[in-house]
Amino acid sequence: MNNKIWLSLAHMSGEEQKYIQEAFDTNWVVPLGPNVNAFEDLLQDYLSEDKKVVALVSGTSAIHLALIQLGVGPGDEVICQSFTFAATANPIKYLGANPIFIDSEPETWNMDPGYLEEAIADRIAKTGKKPKAIIPVDLYGMPANMDAILEIAARYEIPVLEDAAEALGSTYKGRKCGTFGEFACLSFNGNKMITTSGGGALVCSTKEQAKKTLFYATQARDDKTYYQHSEIGYNYRLSNICAGIGRGQMTVLDQYVARRREIHDIYMSEFSTMPGITVFDNPSPDYKSNFWLTCVQIDPVEVGYNNNDVYEAMMKADIECRPLWKPLHLQPVFANEIFYGNGFSTEIFNRGLCLPSSPVLTEYHVERVVDVFRKMKK
Ligand SMILES: *Cc1c(COP(=O)(O)O)cnc(C)c1O
């Protein structure tokens, strides 16, 4: 009998229970404690580049606290990659600011530096104000074109917040994703590279930023013995239980990255003989995606069926796959926002599909996925 193949399953190392048990045994069942500190240290060591990591309840909360520290407020504009999950842009709206969406470039599927520059110049010309921040995303684990984006950001003196929620383990020119820009966010939601069942982190450039992040994440309490507050705070700190899961997950992160890359390689070689099916790959040796999800582009003219047909066939074969992220400038909730681009992200959305990429998949599973394509009728 077939058993279901999932898109991207959380998988435990076996170490997680030990850290959770430890938290119970020592009565650290709270949103701070030894697991939180140890998990942050592990992430810091992993990323290096002298970054300071603060563990939070989600990647979304990390973006929110970064934008607050970048001074984003009502009426401000924040430049944001359009081709991404809504969580990248939602915190802009939490703050009463407006996203300015940027299209993708063909090489990385991430923020197009050309449209980024055009947008900045045009917004300054039209509003007399600079956008407050730039949020490029390393989508599906593929690093954004960081040299070009950071150069433009530096020239206009606009801070960068890297959304590396999907890119733990990826590198760009040998440097880990999650270390570019003033801030970066990570996510440990259920189906990301590692899971804490739900969680995230803000990667900060300075100790002061880390301190401030902690302050906002714990209700912005003033330095007094009694409860005094001079600013609005949030309850965003990661639980010590969840951080225990994270500690266990860090022991297998490298293994997971290696296996997701292997799975991508298998797809690459399987589809190399099928014209019209293109596996999204690193555009040059500068980019080393973790291949969180392997994505394909399906050319309906060439193959005689489209991504929706494959999606349906996968469902019937008990295989979970997923459309690509629908660009945010096409989302009803963001219909009134400003967009710069030529529609490239719409094109890849219309032709794309994410294939099962869990590290637990075997060659047999990948073969079953590819077989669905082989059996598609023209
Ligand atoms: C998952 C994700 C987030 C949000 O992370 P959560 O931990 O789910 O809040 C942000 N951006 C991208 C690109 C993501 O994939």
Side-chain angles (χ1 to χ4, degrees):
M1 261 323 277
N2 281 354
N3 35 32
K4 178 139 185 151
I5 299 177
W6 298 93
L7 182 78
S8 180
L9 267 194
H11 189 68
M12 295 299 117
S13 69
E15 298 287 306
E16 291 83 0
Q17 290 282 0
K18 184 180 83 187
Y19 295 117
I20 294 171
Q21 191 59 48
E22 219 171 86
F24 275 84
D25 292 346
T26 54
N27 212 21
W28 280 102
V29 187
V30 283
L32 78 166
N35 281 338
V36 176
N37 298 337
F39 183 43
E40 286 173 342
D41 287 346
L42 287 168
L43 287 165
Q44 244 160 243
D45 289 347
Y46 184 78
L47 296 173
S48 70
E49 307 291 338
D50 225 17
K51 295 288 179 176
K52 309 284 173 278
V53 176
V54 181
L56 301 170
V57 291
S58 64
T60 311
S61 61
I63 295 171
H64 190 187
L65 295 189
L67 292 177
I68 289 172
Q69 291 177 78
L70 294 173
V72 175
D76 285 335
E77 293 185 339
V78 174
I79 292 193
C80 181
Q81 181 165 324
S82 179
F83 186 48
T84 182
F85 180 39
T88 308
N90 283 338
I92 300 170
K93 286 301 209 181
Y94 300 169
L95 293 165
N98 299 309
I100 303 290
F101 291 120
I102 306 292
D103 212 346
S104 293
E105 58 163 14
E107 293 81 4
T108 64
W109 290 6
N110 292 313
M111 184 177 278
D112 185 310
Y115 287 118
L116 167 65
E117 176 140 30
E118 186 186 318
I120 296 172
D122 196 49
R123 296 320 296 160
I124 293 173
K126 289 204 168 103
T127 69
K129 268 187 1 181
K130 274 196 296 196
K132 276 287 174 71
I134 301 169
I135 315 181
V137 186
D138 308 311
L139 209 66
Y140 299 116
M142 183 61 69
N145 185 347
M146 285 300 175
D147 275 358
I149 292 168
L150 292 173
E151 187 277 319
I152 294 164
R155 192 147 37 80
Y156 286 92
E157 297 181 316
I158 302 173
V160 169
L161 158 58
E162 179 193 9
D163 183 345
E166 301 176 358
L168 190 58
S170 301
T171 62
Y172 172 74
K173 296 195 171 174
R175 183 167 161 181
K176 291 239 166 63
C177 285
T179 66
F180 296 91
E182 193 77 19
F183 290 101
C185 89
L186 301 173
S187 169
F188 318 118
N189 209 341
N191 61 7
K192 299 288 163 81
M193 287 305 286
I194 59 168
T195 182
T196 58
S197 74
L202 187 60
V203 183
C204 304
S205 296
T206 67
K207 269 198 193 111
E208 291 67 38
Q209 289 170 344
K211 213 175 142 201
K212 201 81 197 191
T213 303
L214 198 57
F215 167 78
Y216 283 122
T218 53
Q219 305 288 20
R221 189 178 163 192
D222 291 344
D223 195 12
K224 300 271 184 205
T225 49
Y226 44 88
Y227 280 77
Q228 175 174 297
H229 304 270
S230 309
E231 285 189 73
I232 297 295
Y234 302 85
N235 183 5
Y236 277 172
R237 194 69 166 130
L238 186 67
S239 124
N240 195 53
I241 303 297
C242 296
I245 305 175
R247 281 179 85 177
Q249 291 275 288
M250 286 304 284
T251 64
V252 284
L253 172 57
D254 283 335
Q255 226 172 294
Y256 286 1
V257 173
R259 184 58 191 160
R260 288 199 194 243
R261 286 176 174 158
E262 278 170 13
I263 289 167
H264 175 266
D265 284 349
I266 304 171
Y267 280 124
M268 286 284 288
S269 86
E270 292 286 340
F271 285 117
S272 65
T273 56
M274 295 175 71
I277 312 291
T278 313
V279 178
F280 182 48
D281 194 16
N282 293 314
S284 87
D286 288 341
Y287 298 83
K288 288 201 167 54
S289 174
N290 60 17
F291 291 115
W292 171 56
L293 295 181
T294 291
C295 304
V296 289
Q297 289 281 288
I298 299 162
D299 181 347
V301 177
E302 177 116 31
V303 298
Y305 53 83
N306 65 23
N307 55 351
N308 295 323
D309 300 329
V310 179
Y311 182 89
E312 299 284 320
M314 291 283 182
M315 298 264 282
K316 286 199 188 100
D318 220 6
I319 296 169
E320 185 194 19
C321 58
R322 194 199 267 173
L324 300 191
W325 299 121
K326 181 176 179 176
L328 298 186
H329 73 279
L330 304 178
Q331 299 286 354
V333 69
F334 295 123
N336 296 324
E337 311 299 343
I338 294 162
F339 169 71
Y340 291 85
N342 62 2
F344 180 75
S345 58
T346 306
E347 221 171 282
I348 39 181
F349 166 67
N350 285 335
R351 290 171 172 231
L353 205 60
C354 302
L355 302 181
S357 306
S358 304
V360 292
L361 295 186
T362 62
E363 246 121 298
Y364 158 77
H365 293 120
V366 177
E367 203 51 46
R368 255 182 66 196
V369 175
V370 177
D371 259 347
V372 172
F373 282 85
R374 290 207 182 94
K375 291 181 181 138
M376 292 297 299
K377 295 232 165 49
K378 290 219 178 205

